[in-house]
Amino acid sequence: MTDLTADAPAIAQPGAGAADRNPAAPGGGRTVAAAVPPSLVTRLTAGITAAGEPALVETVAPLTGELLAGLPQSTPADVEVAFQLARRAQPAWGALPVRRRAAVLLRFHDLLLKRQDEVLDLIQAETGKARLHAFEEVLAVAMAARHYGRAAHSYLRDKRHGGALPVLTQAIEARRPKGVIGHISPWNYPLELSIGDALPAFAAGNAVVNKPDTQTALTALWARELLVEAGLPADLWQVVIGDGPVIGPAVVEHADYVSFTGSTRTGREVAQRAAARLVGASLELGGKNAMLVLADADLDRAAEGAVRACFSSAGQLCISIERLLVHRSVADEFLARFAARTRALRLGGGLAYGADMGSLVSVRQLDATVRHVEDAVKAGATVVAGGRARPDLGPFFHEPTILDGVTAEMAVCAEETFGPVVSVYRFDTEDEAVTAANSTPYGLNSSVWTKDLRRGRQLAARLRTGTVNVNEGYAAAYGSVSSPMGGMGDSGLGRRHGAEGILRYTEAQTVASQRLVPIAPAFGLDDRQFAAVLTGGLRVLKALRFK
Ligand code: NAD
C-alpha cells in the first residue's frame, strides 16, 4: 500500500486507567440460561439430520462463557441421507406455481417480524453480539423475504425471445430449479446467512441441505422451524451439523449447486471440489474494506457512519470497514470526532437493547484481534482508542480499537482482522486514495463520504469492490436487496440479492419451436439457392435492426 501515514500526528495512547475505558452498557433482558432452556435445545435439534445416537458437541455462550447447548453431530452418512430426503421432496415443490412457493416467503416475513424477540435472544446467546446488531439480521432477512416473495415470479417467468427465423421460430427461455442446493454458512450472521440465501433457492423450486456453523446452529434451526410453520414442506430444508472440514466436503460432494459463505481460504477449497464435479458455486468470502472520507465530507455524519461501519457485530462482518482513508486536510478533525464516539461506545451483553457493541464470538476471534493490535503497536502503531481485551465484561470482549501509523509490514494492514479494529491512513489526492483502497486482493465493499453525491458515484466506478456505499458504511448497499451484492477478486464469485441472487439457483433452458418451414433447404430449393436466400435474409434482418 502507498505510505499514506507520513506526517501522522502523534496521538497519545490512552492510559490504562478505568476513566478511558469504554463504559459498560446497562444490563437487562433474560439470562442466556432462561432464553435457551434445555427444552428449546431439544426441540430445535430434532431438526438436525443425524441418525442413531450421535456424538454431541457442546457450544458456549460467548457473553458469559457458560455452556449453551449440546448439539448432535451428523456424519457423512447422515449428509447422504439428508440429500436423499431433500431430493425426494424437491420435484413436487418445484412443480408448484412460483406464486405458491413465494407465498411461503411472505408468510415467513410476517411470522419473523412477529416473533423476532425469540430469534434475537438466540442470536445474542450464540454470537454474543449486541441486540441492535442482531436486529440487523432480522431486517435483512425480512427484506429478502419480501423481495423474493414479491419478485420471484417476474425473475423466473418464461421469457420469449426472437427465434432463429423471425416469426417462424419461437424461443422461450425457461428457468428450471437446480435440484438440491448445498448451502454452507458461517457463524457471524447466523440468521441472515443461513436463511437469507436459502429463501431465493426455495422460491426457485429447490430443496436445500444447509450446514450452518455448529456455534450458531440453533439460530438456523429456529429459522427452519419458522419457515416450515409458514408452509415449507419440512423435508425440503435439511440441516446437518459437524466438523467443517469433514461435513462441508460431504455437502459439496452431493450438491447440484453450492452456496458458500465463509473465509477465502475455505472458499477456494469449496470451489475446487465443486469444479471437479462440474457443479456451480457462489462464494461470498472475506474482505479488507476501505472507507474514503473526502475533504468535503460532513465530518459528524462520517464519524457516526464510521462507528457503525467498523464496529457492528464487533467488526465480525464481512463488509465492515477495517481501513479508513481520510483526506489530510480533515484527518485530525475527523479522527477526533470518530475517536470520541468510539471511546463512548457502551459494551455489554444483556439480552436487551442498550449496548452499542457486544462480545466477540470465541477465543479464536479474540486472539486474532489481540494479535493484530499487539503486533501493530510493537512495530510502532499508535492506539487512538480502545486497544484492550475486556475480560471484566465477559471472556471474549475487546474494546473497539482505532490504530494510527499502521505500515505495510504490520499484519493488520492487509490481513482481514474480523474484529473491532480499524486503521487510519491519510491521503492528499483522490488518485492516491483510489490506489490505496484498491491495493488489496480482496474486493468486497467500500464506502465514500462526500457532500457531492455525483462525485461519490464517479469515484465508485474506480473502486474494485462489489458494493460501494456513498455516505453510508455498508447497510445502504446490503439492504438494497433488488441489487446484487458480492465480491470481486479474493472476496468471491457470484452474487446474492437481485436477479443474480435467485437465477444462480436455476438452470436456463431454451425451448425453441419451429413452425411451417424447416431450417434447411425446402420447397424445391437446392443447397446453393437455400444459402443465397438465407444470405439475403440476414442482410435484411440487419438492415431492419433486428437484434
Ligand atoms: P470458515 O471458512 O472457517 O467457515 C465457514 C463455513 O465453512 C463453516 O460452516 C465451516 O464449518 C465450513 N467449513 C470449514 N471447512 C470447510 C471445508 N473444508 N469445506 C467446506 N466447508 C467448510 O469461515 P468463518 O471463520 O466461519 O467465517 C468468517 C469468514 O467468513 C470471514 O472471512 C468473513 O469475511 C467471511 N464472510 C463473508 C461474507 C460475505 O458475504 N462475503 C459473509 C460473512 C462472512
Side-chain angles (χ1 to χ4, degrees):
M1 182 186 284
T2 333
D3 179 12
L4 302 174
T5 59
D7 304 336
I11 295 175
Q13 180 165 351
D20 55 27
R21 291 173 160 218
N22 283 89
R30 296 196 286 172
T31 61
V32 168
V36 191
S39 57
L40 176 64
V41 174
T42 306
R43 192 185 90 205
L44 292 176
T45 53
I48 298 174
T49 312
E53 297 216 353
L56 295 183
V57 166
E58 290 179 340
T59 58
V60 161
L63 291 172
T64 57
E66 70 200 288
L67 177 70
L68 182 61
L71 297 167
Q73 301 291 285
S74 312
T75 61
D78 294 321
V79 175
E80 207 172 324
V81 171
F83 272 91
Q84 281 164 4
L85 293 169
R87 221 170 270 295
R88 211 174 295 152
Q90 185 272 328
W93 174 251
L96 289 178
V98 178
R99 286 189 201 280
R100 288 268 304 277
R101 298 196 300 255
V104 174
L105 273 60
L106 294 173
R107 280 196 295 275
F108 174 80
H109 170 274
D110 296 349
L111 285 173
L112 175 64
L113 293 185
K114 192 163 143 203
R115 293 184 34 198
Q116 58 179 285
D117 278 330
E118 290 173 38
V119 78
L120 291 176
D121 280 353
L122 268 180
I123 295 171
Q124 285 200 276
E126 291 196 311
T127 65
K129 65 175 74 176
R131 202 168 189 82
L132 183 65
H133 302 149
F135 176 71
E136 285 186 7
E137 299 201 45
V138 170
L139 203 60
V141 171
M143 285 172 169
R146 186 194 64 217
H147 177 66
Y148 287 117
R150 294 265 181 250
H153 179 257
S154 60
Y155 285 134
L156 299 172
R157 69 168 201 273
D158 288 354
K159 294 187 178 59
R160 283 181 180 282
H161 297 294
L165 300 181
V167 184
L168 301 174
T169 321
Q170 288 180 339
I172 291 171
E173 174 192 330
R175 291 283 164 178
R176 312 294 183 208
K178 289 266 188 191
V180 184
I181 308 300
H183 176 39
I184 301 174
S185 39
W187 46 263
N188 66 325
Y189 274 65
L191 180 69
E192 160 62 4
L193 297 175
S194 61
I195 193 167
D197 282 326
L199 291 172
F202 291 128
N206 299 282
V208 171
V209 174
N210 176 209
K211 193 210 90 58
D213 193 285
T214 305
Q215 173 63 32
T216 52
L218 294 176
T219 300
L221 289 161
W222 183 91
R224 176 184 178 275
E225 201 183 71
L226 202 70
L227 196 61
V228 170
E229 198 177 318
L232 187 85
D235 275 355
L236 270 189
W237 185 353
Q238 303 286 324
V239 175
V240 289
I241 306 289
D243 193 20
V246 178
I247 296 305
V251 169
V252 178
E253 202 49 47
H254 294 93
D256 300 319
Y257 181 85
V258 181
S259 154
F260 174 83
T261 303
S263 63
T264 297
R265 187 181 48 78
T266 312
R268 280 188 209 285
E269 202 181 315
V270 167
Q272 281 168 9
R273 287 179 193 279
R277 296 192 50 238
L278 291 180
V279 299
S282 53
L283 307 164
E284 305 288 347
L285 310 176
K288 189 72 186 176
N289 309 303
M291 172 184 284
L292 282 61
V293 181
L294 306 190
D296 72 337
D298 177 327
L299 296 185
D300 278 317
R301 283 191 60 203
E304 285 287 347
V307 166
R308 290 193 298 279
C310 303
F311 305 127
S312 284
S313 290
Q316 300 163 116
L317 166 62
C318 55
I319 44 186
S320 75
I321 298 296
E322 295 197 359
R323 297 181 297 148
L324 258 168
L325 312 178
V326 192
H327 193 274
R328 197 178 304 276
S329 64
V330 293
D332 292 348
E333 209 180 325
F334 168 80
L335 195 49
R337 295 177 198 203
F338 176 45
R341 283 170 170 84
T342 299
R343 288 189 200 110
L345 291 178
R346 297 160 305 167
L347 311 188
L351 301 191
Y353 288 105
D356 301 313
M357 199 182 97
S359 168
L360 290 160
V361 73
S362 61
V363 71
R364 193 185 88 166
Q365 291 311 117
L366 178 64
D367 285 351
T369 302
V370 168
R371 183 175 65 81
H372 271 187
V373 174
E374 281 182 355
D375 164 77
V377 170
K378 239 182 253 159
T382 312
V383 175
V384 180
R388 286 162 298 209
R390 289 292 297 270
D392 54 311
L393 298 171
F396 313 135
F397 275 86
H398 192 282
E399 288 175 340
T401 298
I402 307 172
L403 297 176
D404 199 2
V406 168
T407 50
E409 72 280 5
M410 301 174 192
V412 74
C413 185
E415 283 176 26
E416 183 184 45
T417 307
F418 221 53
V421 181
V422 64
S423 310
V424 178
Y425 307 89
R426 292 159 182 77
F427 66 85
D428 292 303
T429 66
E430 257 179 43
D431 283 353
E432 211 179 27
V434 167
T435 305
N438 289 339
S439 68
T440 160
Y442 292 116
L444 192 56
N445 179 42
S446 50
S447 165
V448 178
W449 290 77
T450 169
K451 286 193 186 118
D452 181 348
L453 288 186
R454 228 185 93 193
R455 184 169 168 218
R457 285 196 283 260
Q458 278 167 351
L459 198 59
R462 302 177 63 197
L463 295 172
R464 232 186 125 268
T465 55
T467 51
V468 181
N469 289 269
V470 179
N471 293 338
E472 189 49 80
Y474 60 84
Y478 199 94
S480 299
V481 287
S482 48
S483 304
M485 181 273 152
M488 299 184 189
D490 284 4
S491 291
L493 281 180
R495 298 287 184 268
R496 60 166 60 97
H497 296 166
E500 291 180 71
I502 187 165
L503 296 182
R504 64 184 158 151
Y505 296 128
T506 66
E507 295 280 7
Q509 183 184 55
T510 297
V511 181
S513 327
Q514 189 63 22
R515 299 193 305 172
L516 302 174
V517 296
I519 307 181
F523 305 117
L525 295 180
D526 64 19
D527 291 0
R528 179 185 294 278
Q529 290 164 328
F530 170 74
V533 169
L534 281 208
T535 301
L538 288 174
R539 290 193 174 113
V540 170
L541 289 179
K542 176 161 182 275
L544 293 176
R545 310 190 83 81
F546 263 67
K547 285 192 198 129

